[in-house]
Amino acid sequence: MDSYTHEIINDDTRLQLYFVPITGSNFYSPLHWHGHLEIIFMQAGFMDAFINDQKYTLKKDDMLVVNPRELHATRPWGDADYLLLQIPFDYLSRVISNVSLLQFQAYFPSVTTNSGHRQLAMCLFELARTYKEKEDGYLLHFSSVAYEFLYILYRDFSRQISPQAKEKDNRNLEKMDEVIRYVKNNYKNNISLKDAASLLNISPEYFCRLFKKHTGQTFLAYLNAVRMSRFYQDLMATDYSVTDLMERHGITNYKVLIRDFKQTYGITPNKLRNRL
């Protein structure tokens, strides 16, 4: 997985999209991008979400839309329930012209109580019901509701951006993606700001400002997030001790690990493992 530069999404080959109700998730997804349109509809709990340089705190009935090729990260506060819908760019391009220049609204607070947003929420509820019950012909109905959702989103909550603005976004993504790929391949090592800045041939001071401007977080926060995420995955999947996992994932400060892990997952590593 580390060799890829973006998140891999498993598509349903019949519908060419991915939908799933997620229950009790505390999975922290550090900064990444993919070619899919992604919709998160909160059912319970809270989640911090970062899109480019913007931070959103999601609660029940909030909806988030992540456009294709946008840098984003998600971090639930402990356990969270939400509906996740991901639609491939190729799927969108078949039904919407000039989709590469389209920008969907990102944040929809209290979507079920806002009259302008309620239609979107009703579509997502119907997708969840159809997904769960799988009555005869459900794939046809599921597809029709997904198209209705996209139509409303396109009609009422999208705007066109200029080719020049799109080209600028692409250049910024290429810069940040080079750093992201480097961190994913080297996060176990001692990475300095100078190392990261040298990738873009700029000074460490300018790199700090550039990274924060385009991601909404510091480079150190991102590096620690990657290490924490990989530490968590191995904590759940292996029998290595916490000390061994720290060493394997480039984490050097035990007190900071415990503090950040508890803040991210709502529990200490040892207590979480004891639950398994």
Side-chain angles (χ1 to χ4, degrees), residues 88-154:
F89 182 85
D90 288 346
Y91 186 97
L92 293 172
S93 65
R94 291 200 299 269
V95 295
I96 301 175
S97 61
N98 296 321
V99 69
S100 63
L101 298 179
L102 204 63
Q103 187 81 20
F104 293 105
Q105 178 178 319
Y107 180 48
F108 295 77
S110 301
V111 69
T112 60
T113 60
N114 184 300
S115 59
H117 301 165
R118 194 174 297 119
Q119 286 180 290
L120 294 173
M122 293 302 101
C123 286
L124 292 174
F125 284 134
E126 184 61 14
L127 288 178
R129 186 198 68 80
T130 305
Y131 175 92
K132 179 181 179 181
E133 296 182 4
K134 292 182 173 60
E135 71 272 15
D136 185 36
Y138 82 95
L139 290 176
L140 291 171
H141 182 57
F142 193 100
S143 185
S144 70
V145 176
Y147 273 111
E148 179 68 13
F149 176 88
L150 281 175
Y151 172 68
I152 297 168
L153 191 66
Y154 171 73

Coordinates of all heavy atoms in Angstrom, one line a residue, residues 88-154:
P88 N -16.9 7.1 -8.5 CA -15.7 7.3 -9.4 C -15.9 8.5 -10.3 O -17.0 8.8 -10.8 CB -15.5 6.0 -10.1 CG -16.3 5.0 -9.3 CD -17.5 5.7 -8.7
F89 N -14.8 9.1 -10.6 CA -14.8 10.2 -11.6 C -15.3 9.8 -12.9 O -16.1 10.5 -13.6 CB -13.3 10.8 -11.8 CG -13.3 11.9 -12.7 CD1 -13.5 13.2 -12.2 CD2 -12.9 11.8 -14.0 CE1 -13.4 14.3 -13.1 CE2 -12.9 12.9 -14.9 CZ -13.1 14.1 -14.4
D90 N -15.0 8.6 -13.4 CA -15.5 8.1 -14.7 C -17.0 8.0 -14.7 O -17.6 8.3 -15.7 CB -14.9 6.7 -15.0 CG -13.4 6.8 -15.4 OD1 -12.9 7.9 -15.7 OD2 -12.7 5.8 -15.4
Y91 N -17.6 7.6 -13.6 CA -19.0 7.5 -13.4 C -19.6 8.9 -13.6 O -20.6 9.1 -14.3 CB -19.3 6.9 -12.1 CG -20.8 6.6 -11.8 CD1 -21.3 5.3 -12.0 CD2 -21.6 7.6 -11.3 CE1 -22.6 5.1 -11.7 CE2 -23.0 7.3 -11.0 CZ -23.5 6.1 -11.2 OH -24.8 5.8 -10.9
L92 N -19.0 9.9 -12.9 CA -19.5 11.3 -13.0 C -19.4 11.8 -14.4 O -20.3 12.5 -14.9 CB -18.7 12.2 -12.0 CG -18.8 11.9 -10.5 CD1 -17.9 12.7 -9.7 CD2 -20.3 12.2 -10.1
S93 N -18.2 11.5 -15.1 CA -18.0 12.1 -16.4 C -19.0 11.6 -17.4 O -19.2 12.2 -18.5 CB -16.5 11.9 -16.8 OG -16.3 10.5 -17.0
R94 N -19.6 10.4 -17.2 CA -20.5 9.9 -18.1 C -21.9 10.6 -18.1 O -22.7 10.5 -19.0 CB -20.7 8.4 -17.9 CG -19.6 7.5 -18.2 CD -20.0 6.1 -18.4 NE -20.6 5.5 -17.2 CZ -19.9 4.9 -16.2 NH1 -18.6 4.8 -16.4 NH2 -20.5 4.4 -15.2
V95 N -22.1 11.3 -16.9 CA -23.5 11.9 -16.7 C -23.4 13.4 -16.5 O -24.5 14.0 -16.6 CB -24.2 11.2 -15.5 CG1 -24.5 9.7 -15.8 CG2 -23.4 11.4 -14.3
I96 N -22.2 13.9 -16.4 CA -22.1 15.4 -16.2 C -21.0 15.9 -17.1 O -19.9 15.4 -17.1 CB -21.8 15.7 -14.7 CG1 -22.8 15.2 -13.7 CG2 -21.6 17.3 -14.5 CD1 -22.5 15.4 -12.3
S97 N -21.3 16.9 -17.9 CA -20.3 17.5 -18.8 C -19.4 18.4 -18.0 O -19.8 19.0 -17.1 CB -21.0 18.2 -19.9 OG -21.8 19.3 -19.4
N98 N -18.1 18.5 -18.5 CA -17.1 19.3 -17.9 C -17.0 19.1 -16.4 O -16.8 20.0 -15.6 CB -17.4 20.8 -18.2 CG -17.4 21.2 -19.6 OD1 -16.5 20.7 -20.4 ND2 -18.3 22.0 -20.1
V99 N -17.1 17.9 -16.0 CA -17.1 17.6 -14.6 C -15.7 17.9 -13.9 O -15.7 18.3 -12.7 CB -17.4 16.1 -14.3 CG1 -16.3 15.2 -14.8 CG2 -17.7 15.9 -12.8
S100 N -14.7 18.0 -14.7 CA -13.4 18.3 -14.1 C -13.3 19.8 -13.7 O -12.4 20.1 -12.9 CB -12.2 18.0 -15.2 OG -12.4 18.9 -16.3
L101 N -14.2 20.6 -14.2 CA -14.2 22.0 -13.8 C -15.4 22.3 -12.8 O -15.7 23.5 -12.6 CB -14.4 22.9 -15.0 CG -13.2 22.8 -16.1 CD1 -13.5 23.7 -17.2 CD2 -11.9 23.2 -15.4
L102 N -15.9 21.2 -12.3 CA -17.1 21.4 -11.4 C -16.6 21.3 -9.9 O -15.7 20.5 -9.6 CB -18.1 20.3 -11.6 CG -19.5 20.5 -11.2 CD1 -20.1 21.7 -12.0 CD2 -20.3 19.2 -11.5
Q103 N -17.1 22.2 -9.1 CA -16.8 22.2 -7.7 C -18.1 22.1 -6.9 O -19.0 22.9 -7.0 CB -16.1 23.5 -7.3 CG -15.5 23.6 -5.9 CD -14.2 22.9 -5.8 OE1 -13.5 22.6 -6.8 NE2 -13.8 22.5 -4.6
F104 N -18.2 21.0 -6.1 CA -19.4 20.8 -5.3 C -19.2 21.5 -3.9 O -18.1 21.5 -3.4 CB -19.7 19.3 -5.1 CG -20.1 18.6 -6.3 CD1 -19.2 17.7 -7.0 CD2 -21.3 18.8 -6.9 CE1 -19.5 17.1 -8.1 CE2 -21.7 18.1 -8.0 CZ -20.8 17.2 -8.7
Q105 N -20.3 21.9 -3.3 CA -20.2 22.5 -2.0 C -19.7 21.4 -1.0 O -20.1 20.3 -1.1 CB -21.6 22.9 -1.6 CG -21.7 23.5 -0.2 CD -23.1 24.0 0.2 OE1 -23.8 24.6 -0.7 NE2 -23.6 23.7 1.4
A106 N -18.9 21.8 -0.1 CA -18.2 20.9 0.8 C -19.0 20.5 2.0 O -19.2 19.4 2.4 CB -16.8 21.4 1.2
Y107 N -19.5 21.5 2.7 CA -20.1 21.3 4.1 C -21.6 21.6 4.1 O -22.0 22.7 3.7 CB -19.3 22.2 5.1 CG -19.8 22.1 6.5 CD1 -19.9 20.9 7.1 CD2 -20.0 23.3 7.2 CE1 -20.3 20.8 8.5 CE2 -20.4 23.2 8.6 CZ -20.6 22.0 9.2 OH -21.0 21.9 10.5
F108 N -22.3 20.6 4.6 CA -23.8 20.7 4.7 C -24.2 20.5 6.2 O -24.4 19.4 6.6 CB -24.5 19.7 3.8 CG -24.3 19.9 2.4 CD1 -23.1 19.5 1.8 CD2 -25.2 20.5 1.6 CE1 -22.9 19.7 0.4 CE2 -25.1 20.6 0.2 CZ -23.8 20.2 -0.4
P109 N -24.2 21.6 7.0 CA -24.6 21.4 8.4 C -26.1 21.1 8.6 O -26.9 21.6 7.9 CB -24.2 22.7 9.1 CG -24.3 23.7 8.0 CD -23.9 23.0 6.7
S110 N -26.4 20.2 9.5 CA -27.8 19.8 9.9 C -28.6 19.6 8.6 O -29.7 20.2 8.4 CB -28.4 20.9 10.7 OG -27.7 21.1 11.9
V111 N -28.2 18.7 7.8 CA -28.8 18.5 6.5 C -30.2 18.1 6.5 O -31.0 18.5 5.7 CB -28.0 17.5 5.6 CG1 -28.1 16.1 6.1 CG2 -28.3 17.6 4.2
T112 N -30.6 17.4 7.6 CA -32.0 16.9 7.7 C -33.0 18.0 8.1 O -34.2 17.9 7.9 CB -32.2 15.7 8.6 OG1 -31.7 16.1 9.9 CG2 -31.3 14.5 8.2
T113 N -32.5 19.1 8.7 CA -33.4 20.1 9.2 C -33.4 21.3 8.3 O -34.2 22.3 8.5 CB -32.9 20.6 10.6 OG1 -31.6 21.1 10.5 CG2 -33.0 19.4 11.6
N114 N -32.5 21.4 7.2 CA -32.5 22.4 6.3 C -33.3 22.1 5.1 O -33.0 21.1 4.4 CB -31.0 22.7 5.9 CG -30.9 23.9 5.0 OD1 -31.4 24.0 3.9 ND2 -30.1 24.9 5.5
S115 N -34.3 22.9 4.7 CA -35.1 22.5 3.6 C -34.4 22.4 2.3 O -34.7 21.5 1.5 CB -36.2 23.6 3.4 OG -35.7 24.9 3.2
G116 N -33.3 23.2 2.1 CA -32.6 23.1 0.9 C -31.7 21.9 0.8 O -31.3 21.4 -0.3
H117 N -31.4 21.2 1.9 CA -30.6 20.1 2.0 C -31.3 18.8 2.1 O -30.8 17.7 1.9 CB -29.6 20.2 3.1 CG -28.7 21.4 3.1 ND1 -28.0 21.8 4.1 CD2 -28.4 22.2 2.0 CE1 -27.3 22.9 3.8 NE2 -27.5 23.2 2.5
R118 N -32.6 18.9 2.5 CA -33.3 17.7 3.0 C -33.5 16.6 1.9 O -33.4 15.4 2.2 CB -34.7 18.1 3.5 CG -35.4 16.9 4.3 CD -36.7 17.4 4.9 NE -36.5 18.5 5.9 CZ -36.9 19.7 5.9 NH1 -37.7 20.1 4.8 NH2 -36.7 20.6 6.8
Q119 N -33.6 17.1 0.7 CA -33.7 16.1 -0.4 C -32.5 15.2 -0.5 O -32.6 14.0 -0.8 CB -33.9 16.8 -1.8 CG -35.3 17.4 -2.0 CD -35.4 18.1 -3.3 OE1 -34.8 19.1 -3.5 NE2 -36.2 17.5 -4.2
L120 N -31.3 15.8 -0.3 CA -30.1 15.0 -0.3 C -30.1 14.0 0.8 O -29.7 12.8 0.6 CB -28.9 15.9 -0.2 CG -28.6 16.9 -1.3 CD1 -27.5 17.8 -1.0 CD2 -28.2 16.1 -2.6
A121 N -30.5 14.4 2.0 CA -30.6 13.5 3.1 C -31.5 12.3 2.9 O -31.2 11.2 3.2 CB -30.9 14.2 4.4
M122 N -32.7 12.6 2.3 CA -33.7 11.6 2.0 C -33.1 10.6 1.0 O -33.4 9.4 1.1 CB -35.0 12.2 1.4 CG -35.7 13.1 2.5 SD -36.2 12.2 4.0 CE -34.9 12.8 5.1
C123 N -32.4 11.0 0.0 CA -31.7 10.1 -0.9 C -30.8 9.2 -0.2 O -30.8 7.9 -0.4 CB -31.0 10.9 -2.0 SG -32.1 11.7 -3.2
L124 N -30.0 9.7 0.7 CA -29.0 8.9 1.4 C -29.7 7.9 2.3 O -29.3 6.7 2.5 CB -28.0 9.8 2.2 CG -27.1 10.6 1.3 CD1 -26.3 11.6 2.2 CD2 -26.2 9.7 0.5
F125 N -30.8 8.3 3.0 CA -31.5 7.4 3.8 C -32.1 6.3 3.0 O -32.1 5.1 3.4 CB -32.7 8.1 4.6 CG -32.2 9.0 5.7 CD1 -32.7 10.2 5.9 CD2 -31.3 8.4 6.7 CE1 -32.3 11.0 7.0 CE2 -30.9 9.2 7.8 CZ -31.4 10.5 7.9
E126 N -32.6 6.6 1.8 CA -33.2 5.6 0.9 C -32.1 4.6 0.4 O -32.3 3.4 0.3 CB -33.9 6.2 -0.2 CG -34.6 5.3 -1.2 CD -35.7 4.4 -0.5 OE1 -36.1 4.8 0.7 OE2 -36.1 3.4 -1.1
L127 N -30.9 5.1 0.1 CA -29.8 4.3 -0.3 C -29.5 3.3 0.9 O -29.2 2.1 0.6 CB -28.6 5.1 -0.6 CG -28.6 5.9 -1.9 CD1 -27.3 6.7 -2.0 CD2 -28.8 5.0 -3.1
A128 N -29.5 3.8 2.1 CA -29.2 2.9 3.2 C -30.2 1.9 3.4 O -29.9 0.7 3.7 CB -29.0 3.8 4.5
R129 N -31.5 2.2 3.3 CA -32.6 1.3 3.4 C -32.5 0.2 2.3 O -32.6 -1.0 2.6 CB -34.0 2.0 3.3 CG -35.2 1.1 3.6 CD -36.4 1.7 3.0 NE -36.5 1.7 1.6 CZ -36.7 0.7 0.8 NH1 -37.0 -0.5 1.3 NH2 -36.8 0.9 -0.5
T130 N -32.3 0.6 1.1 CA -32.2 -0.3 -0.1 C -31.0 -1.2 0.1 O -31.1 -2.4 -0.2 CB -32.1 0.5 -1.4 OG1 -33.2 1.4 -1.5 CG2 -32.1 -0.4 -2.6
Y131 N -29.9 -0.7 0.5 CA -28.7 -1.5 0.8 C -28.9 -2.5 1.8 O -28.5 -3.7 1.7 CB -27.6 -0.5 1.2 CG -26.3 -1.2 1.7 CD1 -25.2 -1.4 0.7 CD2 -26.0 -1.6 3.0 CE1 -24.0 -2.0 1.1 CE2 -24.9 -2.2 3.4 CZ -23.9 -2.4 2.4 OH -22.7 -3.0 2.8
K132 N -29.7 -2.2 2.9 CA -29.9 -3.1 4.0 C -30.9 -4.2 3.6 O -30.7 -5.4 3.8 CB -30.4 -2.4 5.2 CG -30.7 -3.3 6.4 CD -31.3 -2.4 7.6 CE -31.6 -3.3 8.7 NZ -32.1 -2.5 9.9
E133 N -32.0 -3.8 2.9 CA -33.1 -4.8 2.7 C -32.9 -5.6 1.4 O -33.4 -6.7 1.3 CB -34.4 -4.0 2.6 CG -34.8 -3.3 3.9 CD -36.1 -2.6 3.9 OE1 -36.8 -2.6 2.8 OE2 -36.4 -1.9 4.9
K134 N -32.3 -5.0 0.4 CA -31.9 -5.8 -0.8 C -33.2 -6.5 -1.4 O -33.1 -7.7 -1.7 CB -30.8 -6.7 -0.6 CG -29.5 -6.0 -0.3 CD -28.3 -7.0 -0.1 CE -27.0 -6.3 0.0 NZ -26.9 -5.4 1.1
E135 N -34.3 -5.8 -1.5 CA -35.4 -6.4 -2.1 C -35.2 -6.7 -3.6 O -34.3 -6.2 -4.2 CB -36.7 -5.5 -1.9 CG -36.7 -4.3 -2.7 CD -36.0 -3.1 -2.1 OE1 -35.2 -3.3 -1.1 OE2 -36.2 -2.0 -2.5
D136 N -36.2 -7.5 -4.2 CA -36.0 -7.8 -5.6 C -35.9 -6.5 -6.4 O -36.8 -5.6 -6.3 CB -37.3 -8.6 -6.0 CG -37.2 -9.1 -7.4 OD1 -36.0 -9.5 -7.8 OD2 -38.2 -9.2 -8.1
G137 N -34.9 -6.5 -7.3 CA -34.7 -5.3 -8.1 C -34.0 -4.2 -7.4 O -34.0 -3.1 -8.0
Y138 N -33.4 -4.4 -6.3 CA -32.8 -3.3 -5.5 C -31.7 -2.6 -6.2 O -31.5 -1.4 -6.0 CB -32.4 -3.9 -4.2 CG -31.0 -4.5 -4.2 CD1 -29.9 -3.8 -3.8 CD2 -30.8 -5.8 -4.5 CE1 -28.6 -4.4 -3.8 CE2 -29.6 -6.4 -4.5 CZ -28.5 -5.7 -4.1 OH -27.2 -6.3 -4.1
L139 N -31.0 -3.3 -7.1 CA -29.9 -2.6 -7.8 C -30.4 -1.5 -8.7 O -29.8 -0.5 -8.9 CB -29.1 -3.6 -8.6 CG -28.2 -4.6 -7.8 CD1 -27.6 -5.6 -8.7 CD2 -27.2 -3.8 -7.0
L140 N -31.5 -1.8 -9.4 CA -32.2 -0.7 -10.2 C -32.6 0.5 -9.4 O -32.3 1.6 -9.8 CB -33.4 -1.3 -11.0 CG -33.1 -2.4 -12.1 CD1 -34.4 -3.0 -12.5 CD2 -32.4 -1.7 -13.2
H141 N -33.2 0.2 -8.3 CA -33.7 1.3 -7.4 C -32.5 2.0 -6.8 O -32.5 3.3 -6.8 CB -34.6 0.7 -6.3 CG -35.1 1.8 -5.4 ND1 -35.9 2.8 -5.9 CD2 -35.0 2.0 -4.0 CE1 -36.3 3.6 -4.9 NE2 -35.7 3.1 -3.8
F142 N -31.5 1.3 -6.4 CA -30.3 1.9 -5.8 C -29.7 2.9 -6.8 O -29.3 4.0 -6.4 CB -29.3 0.8 -5.3 CG -28.2 1.3 -4.5 CD1 -28.3 1.1 -3.1 CD2 -27.1 2.0 -5.0 CE1 -27.2 1.6 -2.3 CE2 -26.1 2.5 -4.2 CZ -26.2 2.3 -2.8
S143 N -29.5 2.4 -8.0 CA -28.9 3.2 -9.0 C -29.7 4.5 -9.3 O -29.2 5.6 -9.5 CB -28.7 2.4 -10.3 OG -28.0 3.2 -11.3
S144 N -31.1 4.3 -9.4 CA -31.9 5.5 -9.6 C -31.8 6.5 -8.5 O -31.8 7.7 -8.8 CB -33.4 5.0 -9.8 OG -34.0 4.6 -8.6
V145 N -31.8 6.1 -7.3 CA -31.7 7.0 -6.1 C -30.3 7.7 -6.2 O -30.2 8.9 -5.9 CB -31.9 6.3 -4.8 CG1 -31.7 7.2 -3.6 CG2 -33.3 5.7 -4.8
A146 N -29.3 7.0 -6.5 CA -27.9 7.5 -6.6 C -27.9 8.6 -7.7 O -27.3 9.7 -7.5 CB -26.9 6.5 -6.9
Y147 N -28.5 8.4 -8.8 CA -28.6 9.4 -9.8 C -29.4 10.6 -9.4 O -29.0 11.8 -9.7 CB -29.2 8.8 -11.1 CG -28.3 8.2 -12.0 CD1 -28.3 6.8 -12.2 CD2 -27.3 8.9 -12.7 CE1 -27.4 6.2 -13.1 CE2 -26.4 8.3 -13.6 CZ -26.5 7.0 -13.8 OH -25.6 6.4 -14.6
E148 N -30.5 10.4 -8.6 CA -31.3 11.5 -8.1 C -30.4 12.4 -7.1 O -30.5 13.6 -7.2 CB -32.5 11.0 -7.4 CG -33.4 12.0 -6.8 CD -34.1 12.9 -7.8 OE1 -34.1 12.5 -9.0 OE2 -34.7 13.9 -7.4
F149 N -29.7 11.7 -6.3 CA -28.8 12.4 -5.4 C -27.8 13.3 -6.1 O -27.6 14.5 -5.8 CB -28.0 11.4 -4.5 CG -27.0 12.0 -3.6 CD1 -27.4 12.5 -2.3 CD2 -25.7 12.2 -4.0 CE1 -26.5 13.1 -1.5 CE2 -24.8 12.8 -3.1 CZ -25.2 13.2 -1.9
L150 N -27.2 12.7 -7.2 CA -26.2 13.5 -8.0 C -26.9 14.6 -8.7 O -26.3 15.7 -8.8 CB -25.5 12.5 -9.0 CG -24.4 11.6 -8.5 CD1 -23.9 10.7 -9.6 CD2 -23.3 12.5 -8.0
Y151 N -28.1 14.4 -9.2 CA -28.8 15.5 -9.9 C -29.0 16.7 -9.0 O -28.8 17.8 -9.4 CB -30.1 14.9 -10.5 CG -31.0 16.0 -11.1 CD1 -30.6 16.7 -12.2 CD2 -32.1 16.4 -10.4 CE1 -31.3 17.7 -12.8 CE2 -32.9 17.4 -11.0 CZ -32.5 18.1 -12.1 OH -33.3 19.1 -12.6
I152 N -29.5 16.4 -7.8 CA -29.8 17.5 -6.8 C -28.5 18.2 -6.4 O -28.4 19.4 -6.4 CB -30.5 16.9 -5.6 CG1 -31.8 16.3 -5.9 CG2 -30.7 18.0 -4.5 CD1 -32.5 15.5 -4.8
L153 N -27.5 17.4 -6.2 CA -26.2 18.0 -5.8 C -25.6 18.9 -6.9 O -25.1 20.0 -6.7 CB -25.2 16.9 -5.5 CG -23.8 17.2 -4.8 CD1 -24.1 17.8 -3.4 CD2 -22.9 16.1 -4.8
Y154 N -25.8 18.4 -8.2 CA -25.3 19.1 -9.3 C -26.2 20.4 -9.6 O -25.6 21.5 -9.8 CB -25.3 18.2 -10.6 CG -25.1 19.0 -11.9 CD1 -23.8 19.4 -12.2 CD2 -26.1 19.2 -12.8 CE1 -23.6 20.1 -13.4 CE2 -25.9 19.8 -14.0 CZ -24.6 20.3 -14.3 OH -24.4 20.9 -15.5

